[in-house]
Amino acid sequence: MNIFPLKNQGFRLIESQAETLNLLMRRTEKSESLTSQVTDKSFRGMISGNKFKIISSAFGRGAFCVLTGEINTNEGHVKVEIHKVFKVLLSIILCFPIIAVASMAVSRAEDFSANFILTAVLQVLMIRYAFIGIAFKFLSNSSLNRLRDVLDLEWIKN
């Protein structure tokens, strides 16, 4: 079980590699720090050669997913993962049920039972799959659709 979801997607170029890279450079605001800011461009991030590391410029939700990829001659690939800042925040949230069980075990040792451990495990799984998983699915699809629209790509089935 991965704590944080990850998505790898291949794509086929409709235009040439040079035209696609040029279009990506024109539609990306250069930024060393992948932070969300209001801009007229579609993405924020870094492009070096045929490799890129970008976030969507959609304010408020665009920085959740980081798109890292490479554009080759006829096709390329992109890896979508949760931004490091959000991984830290979500890790803290995932620790809350464990901390609660530990504090319950220490403070109320006589009332402590295995039900508390089961409840904590179920809460961690619910946070991971219900909240993080669903948010990642929708936000990664949104970022990938924006990339497809901007670069005019064709997704390759995995």
Side-chain angles (χ1 to χ4, degrees), residues 34-38 42-44 54-67 80-83 86 90 132 134-146 149:
L34 298 175
T35 57
S36 184
Q37 285 184 342
V38 177
S42 298
F43 300 103
R44 288 181 46 93
I54 56 177
I55 61 168
S56 174
S57 65
F59 191 74
R61 64 179 191 269
F64 188 77
C65 294
V66 177
L67 304 163
V80 185
E81 58 188 340
I82 297 177
H83 197 290
F86 288 100
L90 294 171
I132 297 172
I134 291 172
F136 179 77
K137 180 178 179 180
F138 287 116
L139 294 175
S140 67
N141 285 340
S142 172
S143 294
L144 287 173
N145 287 336
R146 181 175 272 214
D149 292 342

Side-chain angles (χ1 to χ4, degrees), residues 90-152:
L90 294 171
S91 296
I92 293 169
I93 292 171
L94 283 169
C95 289
F96 285 157
I98 298 164
I99 293 169
V101 167
S103 66
M104 181 75 97
V106 170
S107 66
R108 297 185 189 177
E110 64 277 352
D111 295 337
F112 188 76
S113 69
N115 291 337
F116 292 120
I117 295 173
L118 179 63
T119 303
V121 169
L122 290 175
Q123 287 176 349
V124 168
L125 291 175
M126 188 177 79
I127 292 168
R128 163 52 180 94
Y129 288 103
F131 299 124
I132 297 172
I134 291 172
F136 179 77
K137 180 178 179 180
F138 287 116
L139 294 175
S140 67
N141 285 340
S142 172
S143 294
L144 287 173
N145 287 336
R146 181 175 272 214
L147 184 68
R148 184 195 66 216
D149 292 342
V150 167
L151 298 182
D152 199 23

Side-chain angles (χ1 to χ4, degrees), residues 1-81:
M1 174 178 111
N2 292 336
I3 295 176
F4 298 108
L6 178 74
K7 184 185 282 190
N8 286 306
Q9 183 71 48
F11 57 86
R12 190 172 301 114
L13 301 178
I14 294 175
E15 303 288 332
S16 69
Q17 177 188 21
E19 289 176 20
T20 304
L21 283 169
N22 185 27
L23 187 58
L24 183 61
M25 284 184 205
R26 283 187 289 140
R27 298 297 302 158
T28 303
E29 181 178 304
K30 278 193 166 186
S31 172
E32 292 293 322
S33 64
L34 298 175
T35 57
S36 184
Q37 285 184 342
V38 177
T39 180
D40 60 338
K41 308 274 182 160
S42 298
F43 300 103
R44 288 181 46 93
M46 301 166 284
I47 303 168
S48 61
N50 65 341
K51 298 180 188 225
F52 60 89
K53 187 171 186 177
I54 56 177
I55 61 168
S56 174
S57 65
F59 191 74
R61 64 179 191 269
F64 188 77
C65 294
V66 177
L67 304 163
T68 307
E70 184 175 9
I71 300 174
N72 298 321
T73 307
N74 294 325
E75 51 188 39
H77 67 277
V78 63
K79 179 176 76 169
V80 185
E81 58 188 340

